[in-house]
Amino acid sequence: MPNSVLWAVDLFGKVYTLSTAGQYWELCKDNRLEFKRVSAAMQCCWGIACDNQVYVYVCASDVPIRRREEAYENQRWNPVGGFCEKLLPSDRWQWSDVSGLQQRPLDGVALPSPHWEWESDWYVDENFGGEPTEKGGWTYAIDFPATYTRDKKWNSCVRRRRWIRYRRYKSRDTWAKIPSKDDPKQLPDPFNDLSVGGWEITDEPVGRLSVWAVSLQGKVWYREDVSHPNPEGSSWSLMDTPGEAVQISCGPHDLLWVTLWEGQALVREGINRNNPKGGQPYAPCREWWGMPSFSLALSLMRATCSLFWGRVGSSWSIVEPPTSENGIMHVSVGVGVVWAITKDRKVWFRRGVNSHNPCGTSWIEMVGDMMMVNVGLNDQVWGIGCEDRAMYFRQGVTQSELSGKTWKAIVASRESDRSHSGSSSSLLSAGCFFGDEVRGSGESCAPSDTDASLEAERLGPDQPVPAESVDGPRNPRDSLATGPGIGRTTEHAVEVTSLATPAPGPGLASTPAELPWTNIDLKEPKRAPSHSAAGFPETAGLSSLGLLPLGLEEPYGADDHSLWAWVSGGGCAVEAHSVLKWFTIQSGLSPSVQTLSLSITPAQTAAWRKQIFQQLTERTKRELENFRHYEQAVEQSVWVKTGALQWWCDWKPHKWVDVRVALEQFTGLDGARDSILFIYYVVHEEKKYLHIFLNEVTLLVPVLNETKHSFALYTPERTRQRWPVHLAAATEQDMNDWLALLNLSCCESRRVHGRPSPQAIWSVTCKGDIFVSEPSPDLEASEHMLPCDQMFWRQMGGHLRVVEASGRGVVWGIGYDHTAWVYTGGYGGGCFQGLASSTSNIYTQSDVKCVYIYENQRWNPVTGYSSRGLPTDRYMWSDASGLQECTKAGTKPPSLQWTWVSDWSVDFSVPGGTDQEGWQYASDFPASYHGYKTMKDFVRRRCWARKCKLVTTGPWLEVAPITLGDVSIIPESPDANRSGHSIALWAVSDKGDVLCRLGVSELNPAGSSWLHVGTDQPFTSISIGACHQVWAVARDGSAFYRGSVSPTQPAGDCWYHIPSPPKQRLKQVSVGQTSVYALDENGNLWYRQGVTPSYPQGSSWEHVSNNVCRVSVGPLDQVWVIANKVQGSHGLSRGTVCHRTGVQPREPKGQGWDYGIGGGWDHITVRANATRAFRSRSQETATDWSGEPGLPSTPSRVAGASQEARGPVCC
């Protein structure tokens, strides 16, 4: 789970944050201001201070917020002076924007607010459509406006060039005042409430936010142009409302509710991606029918008045309060939920709320009296109690039960309270240590130190002693003294009581019966008497609920009891499987006190412990010494496991057949284990069987689909045939058991155990499964090379899209949701448990991906575009190819391990662009699609996306908080001089920012921090070579080289633009020791000629092969790729691992291909493999290598290629 924070304001106006991974409230870094209320998102928080001014707090990040300013310099040619600044009267401005309609001189572009600063001065952009321009950056055209080209022609009468300057947002980790456009010192109107949301309206990378506010005069305002690159926005816009507003709440998607002075609620309609402020024809809520006559007349009058407002773009619906006696005082909305507080402090839940019906259907009363509630991410709910001002969290909120189950108090203390827990000297004066707690002298006698130490050892060093073992029924007085007002220390901190325990105050209760709510979900017609609260500890007095009445005498004064005024969960991601530390009072001493207690505790320094340890050591030596000359006993045994599976028949009719399988494992005289898998089947009433020696198996891979729990088994022969053995189990657990057992047997047969070596080769399938192979020295040999179809691959736990490794054991991965993960050194996880998995370094890992389907329509003269197509057309609901029918109801997650986490929504980020409704147009199916309609477009399609989530385990830890699109680690050769420098790691964020990771080493593979490297445009791919040469590919398909990168200057100094291959757009680059390879969008593999230490940019691109999906170049300049299609003797595989053969210093491009495991592979990295066989001088200079047999001898050509390709990958 990503580390996120909950924001809150106490009664004194101080802002605090509580991390999902922490247990203490931390005071905001900028605590100079006092605030009334705040509204948070993931990376920022908006607030209203006590001066009624609006502030924004942008959290610090290693990636800066940069905004590009640009201006165009325009010139016209005249016969006398050539191109000059003298333009015609009808021409555009000499300095203008891109349209030429607005004047934009360089000295007239100013910073929008004091919170920005310039990165550098103005400079000319010499990149034009991915190609470098001539010196000066000029582009030419016949006239203004026209199509510009980078080449000057005889009829080029005008020219222009673009000037660029970047500004950086500098006010981070501090409250920045939002300026007004008219008067920077004053806002349009003093604000009373505000709300931030709308970040899930679109998945665009700009990170747009919707900021709504309510003024003291009851007006509703909207902040324009708020986004991640522009956190302040631009200006306030007044929104018309049919009444005076007092409070507002905006959800992450399209819900917006406003509370009126009369106690009613307004619901904004028509909010969508293209209109975040909303606006549709006015539609009254269906609850109008059945209103009292006065209310109905008032509502009808408002509806009549709203007809005028509807003409100017407003769209509001009125929702009546739950009861006529008490109106709505406070409201909070999420993605599909609405919670409200009425004036009598009752909590209400709105039923039936969704995007199609934002008004909902009816109110349900919930148990509890609250001052306010707030709905955060994943529709989780927080509240502040009415009487005690304590903070509560709604437990049990899921997608199937949005109202949750019970309120639970958050008893996390403030970080500043730890100073009240007492010094180490005062702890020593207490005189008695018991487990993790210090007892007073007036208390009952504590158990012995031996019992306490044994209990602590049983629980482990990371687990505190349970409260009931210390404050249980033996000492109920202590349980009454604990509560949120007690000071706490660090994670394993301990409550410290004074020697004279104070008597409970008059307001203290010993049972939770007096609480106004316990475990009741919805209000019942007849309330039963309250008993012990579910969700609260059963041993509880009031302290276990995390509550302290205001009249309680606290050990450190009333200041220690947190009294809250506001809470915001918009930046707090709490998931169903999350384990939070908010609800238990952490006991334990501070680290300094723990160290002190360990040095003086008799149980830790008792002499009898040392004596027992010495006696056991001597006994072990004595018993083993007498039997050293005996031969080791080896048991020759046979072990058999049988079961029922299904087998995909290799011959017609090619169907699943019920079979019996038996795994026979035997142990030889040398202690080695080997196994045979028997598959018994029946053909024409004749019993037959197949047998497979597991020492010949090269791969076991799960084949996940919607209906079968199946897996495939590969051998070298079946790899060449592209025809593995397919087996299926009845349940997922059976499949996992067989996979784990077979993998363990294969590893034992090959004597492969433990974590992979630092030189291992890693790969990832299209399903996200991770595999690793130990390289043989003969794998890169020039003679007697080991075929890569004989490589043994074993599966690692986890789920990734990309994985990169280095020769020093550092491995990073990127998930489908762009989350970065670092390898922890373990093995196993997922379905591999027990002996097949390490006992440590296995953690929970989650991943999110999107499933896409397409809605297709054809135009006809009668109805226009409709779902009625021609008989030869594709399905009206299909996949991207149109060959398979995919409907919303019939489309399931990729496998049974995935679960839906969102509803279907239109995807506006498809290549080619879309119109406002998400449609793409074309002349026919299939064709080139574009985002606008023309006269020749007779078909259109629209992409729908739905997110699904997978939760598994593996040896991976999350590297937060920046999401990545690509990562590269330096490939170090065996003879490299490491000299104590950190490992170079470069990455590209999902937004296109280039980053350099600092502090990466074997002991700290995750590194310490990111260093941002500025670019003029977003990047998509990056790679660092063994000599610190950094190459990258931009989003427009152009290549760049980073100069002067070294261990002492890890970020380099500047980018050099490298021209792409003619008429090609690059998408990936990989750099080895001296070789540079690039891959374009058409699957062509290119080699960079002329790369030398004195000229590292190279001279030209040379075509090597086609049919390539991914390329990886290692520290020995070895080249491995993922081929798109490879034909075997029995079948065709897509996504096959291929090895370039014949790569030598004088032949860096190689001469042929060796085909390995496949298909279904998406990624491979050999950048950690620096193992090589001994090569003589004659072998290095040999040039008579013969290509791979069976490859076509006719070279293929690529448009614009300078030379012919040798041996394309496809057969």
Side-chain angles (χ1 to χ4, degrees):
M1 180 185 68
N3 190 12
S4 54
V5 294
L6 178 71
W7 293 73
V9 182
D10 66 3
L11 286 183
F12 302 99
K14 298 298 183 182
V15 180
Y16 289 85
T17 59
L18 178 61
S19 170
T20 53
Q23 56 191 2
Y24 296 102
W25 288 100
E26 296 182 4
L27 187 63
C28 184
K29 295 181 180 179
D30 184 4
N31 55 8
R32 297 170 298 176
L33 298 173
E34 296 178 356
F35 281 82
K36 295 180 178 180
R37 53 189 60 181
V38 294
S39 182
M42 284 300 294
Q43 297 297 329
C44 66
C45 181
W46 289 64
I48 299 178
C50 291
D51 58 359
N52 291 326
Q53 300 292 317
V54 177
Y55 294 80
V56 61
Y57 186 99
V58 180
C59 300
S61 174
D62 293 328
V63 179
I65 298 176
R66 306 169 71 228
R67 193 73 181 265
R68 185 173 69 184
E69 298 289 349
E70 58 183 32
Y72 286 83
E73 181 182 3
N74 307 300
Q75 291 185 357
R76 177 176 286 277
W77 183 87
N78 66 67
V80 179
F83 285 99
C84 62
E85 301 174 356
K86 294 182 179 181
L87 302 174
L88 298 178
S90 58
D91 282 340
R92 56 183 60 190
W93 302 92
Q94 179 192 348
W95 294 90
S96 68
D97 61 354
V98 63
S99 65
L101 301 179
Q102 295 184 1
Q103 187 178 11
R104 194 173 176 82
L106 297 184
D107 55 359
V109 180
L111 294 173
S113 73
H115 308 302
W116 294 85
E117 62 182 359
W118 293 113
E119 277 191 357
S120 61
D121 204 352
W122 291 95
Y123 64 93
V124 176
D125 181 18
E126 297 184 351
N127 180 28
F128 180 75
E131 297 290 338
T133 62
E134 295 181 358
K135 193 69 174 178
W138 293 104
T139 57
Y140 300 88
I142 299 177
D143 200 357
F144 298 122
T147 302
Y148 295 88
T149 62
R150 63 190 185 97
D151 298 325
K152 180 182 177 181
K153 301 178 182 179
W154 66 271
N155 57 352
S156 298
C157 298
V158 296
R159 68 177 184 179
R160 72 173 185 179
R161 60 179 175 181
R162 181 170 61 174
W163 290 76
I164 292 177
R165 191 180 191 184
Y166 280 89
R167 53 182 167 96
R168 183 191 299 253
Y169 189 78
K170 65 178 182 179
S171 298
R172 309 192 76 163
D173 274 352
T174 183
W175 291 103
K177 182 184 291 187
I178 299 300
S180 175
K181 188 175 182 180
D182 301 327
D183 185 358
K185 298 182 180 179
Q186 297 293 331
L187 290 172
D189 192 12
F191 284 155
N192 179 52
D193 188 29
L194 87 167
S195 181
V196 180
W199 56 81
E200 291 185 7
I201 294 179
T202 174
D203 291 331
E204 289 185 90
V206 295
R208 186 176 64 189
L209 290 177
S210 296
V211 180
W212 296 78
V214 173
S215 66
L216 293 176
Q217 298 179 2
K219 299 179 181 179
V220 176
W221 297 81
Y222 178 81
R223 187 69 178 176
E224 302 281 355
D225 302 327
V226 179
S227 63
H228 174 74
N230 188 25
E232 300 175 322
S234 58
S235 61
W236 292 100
S237 297
L238 179 63
M239 309 299 295
D240 291 317
T241 56
E244 293 185 4
V246 293
Q247 189 258 334
I248 194 168
S249 178
C250 179
H253 198 251
D254 56 0
L255 286 182
L256 177 69
W257 281 52
V258 179
T259 304
L260 299 179
W261 278 108
E262 295 86 351
Q264 298 169 315
L266 288 180
V267 182
R268 186 70 169 173
E269 295 185 347
I271 296 178
N272 53 47
R273 175 179 181 269
N274 301 300
N275 188 15
K277 294 185 288 186
Q280 285 182 348
Y282 190 87
C285 183
R286 68 187 70 180
E287 287 189 4
W288 284 10
W289 310 111
M291 292 183 189
S293 57
F294 174 77
S295 300
L296 179 60
L298 179 62
S299 300
L300 291 176
M301 181 177 64
R302 286 174 176 164
T304 304
C305 296
S306 67
L307 293 178
F308 170 75
W309 291 323
R311 295 190 187 98
V312 296
S314 295
S315 179
W316 298 96
S317 296
I318 296 180
V319 176
E320 292 298 319
T323 61
S324 58
E325 296 83 6
N326 296 287
I328 298 175
M329 180 187 71
H330 177 89
V331 68
S332 183
V333 303
V335 176
V337 297
V338 175
W339 291 71
I341 304 292
T342 51
K343 294 181 180 180
D344 57 354
R345 309 301 182 184
K346 299 298 181 182
V347 183
W348 300 83
F349 176 83
R350 187 69 174 174
R351 179 184 293 173
V353 176
N354 53 55
S355 297
H356 306 289
N357 183 24
C359 295
T361 56
S362 60
W363 292 104
I364 304 175
E365 183 177 355
M366 312 300 289
V367 175
D369 294 342
M370 294 284 180
M371 289 293 300
M372 60 88 62
V373 292
N374 183 264
V375 182
L377 299 178
N378 302 323
D379 287 338
Q380 301 296 320
V381 185
W382 289 264
I384 296 178
C386 177
E387 297 180 358
D388 52 14
R389 289 285 185 169
M391 189 175 298
Y392 295 87
F393 174 69
R394 186 71 175 177
Q395 285 195 319
V397 175
T398 61
Q399 292 297 322
S400 58
E401 191 173 356
L402 294 174
S403 60
K405 296 180 179 179
T406 181
W407 294 103
K408 192 166 186 178
I410 297 177
V411 296
S413 63
R414 292 173 295 185
E415 191 176 23
S416 58
D417 294 341
R418 285 188 273 182
S419 61
H420 297 148
S421 60
S423 62
S424 59
S425 61
S426 64
L427 294 177
L428 292 177
S429 64
C432 180
F433 286 88
F434 175 73
D436 289 338
E437 184 170 356
V438 180
R439 295 283 182 175
S441 59
E443 297 175 347
S444 60
C445 181
S448 66
D449 295 320
T450 305
D451 296 337
S453 62
L454 292 177
E455 178 68 14
E457 290 176 1
R458 181 180 66 82
L459 292 174
D462 295 331
Q463 300 183 17
V465 178
E468 51 266 25
S469 65
V470 179
D471 298 326
R474 295 174 297 176
N475 201 346
R477 185 178 181 182
D478 293 331
S479 65
L480 297 178
T482 59
I486 302 295
R488 290 167 188 82
T489 57
T490 53
E491 182 174 359
H492 303 295
V494 56
E495 305 168 61
V496 182
T497 60
S498 60
L499 295 179
T501 305
L508 185 62
S510 60
T511 63
E514 298 180 6
L515 293 176
W517 61 88
T518 53
N519 63 338
I520 303 175
D521 181 11
L522 307 179
K523 184 176 180 180
E524 302 294 337
K526 295 182 180 180
R527 292 191 178 184
S530 301
H531 298 289
S532 63
F536 299 101
E538 294 182 359
T539 62
L542 188 59
S543 62
S544 62
L545 302 179
L547 301 178
L548 276 180
L550 298 181
L552 178 63
E553 295 181 7
E554 298 174 350
Y556 307 112
D559 218 16
D560 290 339
H561 177 55
S562 300
L563 304 177
W564 300 107
W566 199 263
V567 62
S568 177
C572 187
V574 178
E575 300 176 356
H577 65 277
S578 305
V579 179
L580 302 174
K581 304 176 183 178
W582 300 347
F583 312 113
T584 56
I585 301 177
Q586 301 294 327
S587 62
L589 295 175
S590 63
S592 60
V593 178
Q594 286 179 353
T595 305
L596 186 60
S597 66
L598 290 177
S599 64
I600 64 175
T601 303
Q604 300 294 332
T605 59
W608 63 269
R609 285 180 176 270
K610 297 181 180 179
Q611 293 177 1
I612 291 178
F613 178 76
Q614 292 176 358
Q615 292 174 3
L616 290 175
T617 304
E618 294 175 357
R619 177 182 174 182
T620 302
K621 291 181 179 180
R622 182 174 61 254
E623 292 180 350
L624 293 179
E625 190 68 27
N626 296 333
F627 301 98
R628 287 185 180 275
H629 62 281
Y630 280 64
E631 294 184 3
Q632 187 175 1
V634 178
E635 179 184 1
Q636 301 183 25
S637 61
V638 177
W639 178 82
V640 179
K641 174 180 172 60
T642 61
L645 297 175
Q646 284 188 317
W647 168 61
W648 181 257
C649 186
D650 287 347
W651 50 82
K652 292 182 179 181
H654 296 301
K655 63 179 182 179
W656 289 101
V657 179
D658 294 331
V659 297
R660 296 287 300 177
V661 295
L663 175 63
E664 181 177 327
Q665 187 179 83
F666 53 89
T667 305
L669 296 176
D670 57 350
R673 295 181 180 180
D674 206 349
S675 305
I676 304 176
L677 180 66
F678 293 93
I679 302 175
Y680 299 95
Y681 61 96
V682 178
V683 177
H684 303 301
E685 299 182 356
E686 181 180 358
K687 295 183 179 180
K688 296 185 177 182
Y689 72 91
L690 296 174
H691 68 278
I692 302 171
F693 293 96
L694 292 192
N695 59 3
E696 297 179 357
V697 173
T698 58
L699 176 70
L700 286 160
V701 55
V703 183
L704 305 178
N705 53 53
E706 299 176 357
T707 57
K708 290 287 184 180
H709 304 278
S710 61
F711 59 94
L713 188 148
Y714 283 86
T715 63
E717 179 64 26
R718 289 187 173 269
T719 298
R720 290 188 290 270
Q721 295 175 354
R722 308 293 156 194
W723 199 258
V725 177
H726 284 279
L727 296 172
T731 64
E732 181 181 0
Q733 184 62 42
D734 289 343
M735 183 193 72
N736 292 337
D737 292 343
W738 276 103
L739 268 178
L741 180 60
L742 292 174
N743 269 288
L744 183 61
S745 300
C746 291
C747 292
E748 289 178 343
S749 299
R750 296 177 178 266
R751 298 189 177 183
V752 177
H753 299 284
R755 62 171 293 175
S757 67
Q759 289 77 32
I761 300 176
W762 296 72
S763 64
V764 181
T765 68
C766 60
K767 302 292 185 180
D769 297 319
I770 309 162
F771 289 86
V772 64
S773 177
E774 299 296 335
S776 170
D778 297 330
L779 194 60
E780 302 297 338
S782 57
E783 295 181 356
H784 309 292
M785 183 189 68
L786 177 70
C788 58
D789 57 18
Q790 296 184 11
M791 297 172 59
F792 174 66
W793 297 88
R794 57 170 173 152
Q795 186 174 354
M796 304 293 291
H799 189 274
L800 295 173
R801 177 182 58 89
V802 172
V803 64
E804 282 296 315
S806 74
R808 293 167 65 176
V810 176
V811 183
W812 278 49
I814 302 175
Y816 282 83
D817 57 356
H818 300 286
T819 301
W821 302 86
V822 64
Y823 177 61
T824 61
Y827 60 94
C831 64
F832 304 103
Q833 305 296 331
L835 297 177
S837 176
S838 58
T839 57
S840 60
N841 295 327
I842 301 296
Y843 303 94
T844 301
Q845 183 183 11
S846 62
D847 204 356
V848 178
K849 66 185 302 184
C850 288
V851 176
Y852 300 95
I853 61 175
Y854 285 85
E855 178 185 3
N856 307 301
Q857 291 185 356
R858 177 174 287 275
W859 183 86
N860 65 73
V862 180
T863 60
Y865 287 102
S866 67
S867 58
R868 293 179 176 268
L870 299 177
T872 57
D873 279 345
R874 57 180 59 190
Y875 295 101
M876 292 296 101
W877 288 89
S878 68
D879 60 354
S881 65
L883 302 178
Q884 295 183 1
E885 185 177 12
C886 300
T887 61
K888 288 185 178 181
T891 302
K892 298 180 180 179
S895 69
L896 299 175
Q897 297 179 350
W898 294 83
T899 56
W900 295 120
V901 293
S902 70
D903 202 355
W904 290 103
S905 60
V906 177
D907 183 17
F908 295 91
S909 60
V910 292
T914 66
D915 63 4
Q916 293 187 355
E917 296 181 353
W919 290 104
Q920 290 184 305
Y921 300 87
S923 57
D924 202 353
F925 297 123
S928 177
Y929 296 92
H930 44 266
Y932 52 90
K933 185 182 181 302
T934 64
M935 294 293 294
K936 298 181 180 180
D937 294 330
F938 295 98
V939 297
R940 66 178 183 178
R941 70 173 186 178
R942 180 165 57 180
C943 181
W944 292 80
R946 190 176 187 183
K947 293 181 180 179
C948 54
K949 185 175 184 178
L950 174 142
V951 179
T952 182
T953 58
W956 305 94
L957 272 178
E958 181 180 352
V959 183
I962 300 175
T963 52
L964 302 181
D966 193 20
V967 64
S968 179
I969 311 176
I970 185 170
E972 298 185 1
S973 57
D975 53 352
N977 183 19
R978 299 177 181 177
S979 64
H981 290 292
S982 61
I983 300 174
L985 186 149
W986 287 64
V988 177
S989 72
D990 61 336
K991 296 180 175 63
D993 297 296
V994 177
L995 307 169
C996 177
R997 189 68 172 177
L998 303 179
V1000 179
S1001 63
E1002 296 96 327
L1003 299 178
N1004 184 24
S1008 57
S1009 62
W1010 290 106
L1011 177 62
H1012 181 263
V1013 181
T1015 59
D1016 291 340
Q1017 57 179 315
F1019 281 24
T1020 58
S1021 175
I1022 199 164
S1023 180
I1024 179 172
C1027 300
H1028 289 84
Q1029 61 270 42
V1030 177
W1031 286 66
V1033 175
R1035 192 170 291 176
D1036 61 1
S1038 56
F1040 288 86
Y1041 171 79
R1042 186 70 176 177
S1044 303
V1045 178
S1046 64
T1048 58
Q1049 192 177 0
D1053 56 3
C1054 63
W1055 292 102
Y1056 297 92
H1057 190 181
I1058 309 299
S1060 302
K1063 301 181 181 179
Q1064 302 295 330
R1065 290 168 55 94
L1066 300 179
K1067 70 173 185 178
Q1068 191 222 334
V1069 64
S1070 185
V1071 186
Q1073 180 76 20
T1074 58
S1075 298
V1076 179
Y1077 281 81
L1079 187 66
D1080 65 26
E1081 295 178 346
N1082 296 319
N1084 298 303
L1085 183 64
W1086 301 86
Y1087 171 76
R1088 187 66 178 174
Q1089 289 276 17
V1091 175
T1092 62
S1094 60
Y1095 191 66
Q1097 297 95 326
S1099 57
S1100 62
W1101 294 102
E1102 184 173 353
H1103 185 255
V1104 177
S1105 180
N1106 55 9
N1107 195 35
V1108 178
C1109 300
R1110 186 84 186 182
V1111 60
S1112 179
V1113 183
L1116 307 178
D1117 284 334
Q1118 68 268 41
V1119 182
W1120 290 66
V1121 301
I1122 301 295
N1124 186 21
K1125 299 178 183 178
V1126 171
Q1127 181 66 49
S1129 59
H1130 286 71
L1132 176 71
S1133 65
R1134 299 176 181 271
T1136 302
V1137 175
C1138 298
H1139 178 207
R1140 188 69 174 174
T1141 60
V1143 176
Q1144 302 181 37
R1146 296 189 179 182
E1147 188 69 30
K1149 296 181 298 180
Q1151 297 180 351
W1153 292 104
D1154 182 25
Y1155 303 128
I1157 199 68
W1161 257 248
D1162 271 357
H1163 180 86
I1164 188 171
T1165 176
V1166 296
R1167 298 174 63 80
N1169 179 24
T1171 59
R1172 53 186 170 187
F1174 173 76
R1175 299 196 310 180
S1176 62
R1177 189 176 185 87
S1178 60
Q1179 291 174 346
E1180 293 181 356
T1181 57
T1183 56
D1184 55 348
W1185 182 276
S1186 59
E1188 179 70 18
L1191 290 176
S1193 58
T1194 304
S1196 61
R1197 291 181 177 270
V1198 177
S1202 59
Q1203 294 188 12
E1204 296 177 345
R1206 299 186 182 181
V1209 175
C1210 56
C1211 292

